[in-house]
Amino acid sequence: MRKYILLVFVWMCVLSACSEKNIMEYSEDTLYVYFAADATVDSTTYSFKTFPSGKIHMKIPMRSNGVWLTKEREYTVSADEEFTTLPSELYVLPEKCFFPAGQAQDTIEVVLLNGDLLKEKTCRLMLKVDETEWIKEGDDKYSRAIILVSDKLERPQWWTVWDGGYGGVPYYNIAEYLYLGAYSETKYTMFLEELAKDGVEFDGQDKMILKKYSLRLKYRIEAFNSDPENIASGEAPLKDEFGNEIIIPAVG
């Protein structure tokens, strides 16, 4: 919650520093390019604990408005240096981006790299679209993308967002409700260990990976808890850092 409040504060500072763009003035050849996520409510958090390769390739959805393109339009993105704390050597931005003709949506790729600094603190990368004569930023709320990155174990976004429900209305978190149960660092560390056995990196997208390794963790814990030696020594049932029994609800 404190991190969310800080992000909102940072972004409000950006809005106060930016010129008014609430009304976009369209011209015959102006393309407004902006990030799909609302920076006042959305940010993306990555931990290299879940990407042991030391490199994260992240896809960032982009949108456009204004002139309807009949041929691709070149543009660039850069770090907003006033609000970026991630050192430049720890990220790679595309040299050039091209918005396709006839499309209002696209993606760009940004590469994040691990470094010793990230073991000590979480750093922020704030991206912006570079304005030119023919490329302009969109609405203020979508003119920045906020990315947080560290090499510390943090609860991943896919274990927090409401992404499950019925009738198109999400009201629960799939990872918590169906597969892994309540979050704890002990449980998450064990889940990462199961992924590492197969050299798998999980970004929250492929739910089949989530199901497979949640089940594998469940069977591992069940085997530990049923071992007579662990029972006799009082180590079973296995508990997390809070002293709570680790329960994995995943079903086959």
Side-chain angles (χ1 to χ4, degrees), residues 132-204:
T132 67
E133 183 178 0
W134 308 117
I135 295 290
K136 302 297 180 184
E137 295 180 341
D139 181 87
D140 287 338
K141 294 188 299 182
Y142 302 95
S143 63
R144 298 292 187 278
I146 300 174
I147 300 125
L148 301 176
V149 60
S150 74
D151 194 22
K152 300 181 293 183
L153 194 64
E154 297 184 12
R155 183 170 180 168
Q157 190 172 21
W158 53 262
W159 207 338
T160 61
V161 296
W162 283 11
D163 52 359
Y166 300 96
V169 180
Y171 58 87
Y172 65 83
N173 174 255
I174 290 176
E176 183 172 31
Y177 185 72
L178 298 178
Y179 297 113
L180 287 170
Y183 174 83
S184 73
E185 286 193 6
T186 305
K187 184 185 293 185
Y188 189 28
T189 298
M190 295 178 70
F191 179 72
L192 293 176
E193 288 172 353
E194 295 305 312
L195 292 172
K197 291 176 182 177
D198 291 340
V200 174
E201 295 181 344
F202 179 57
D203 61 3

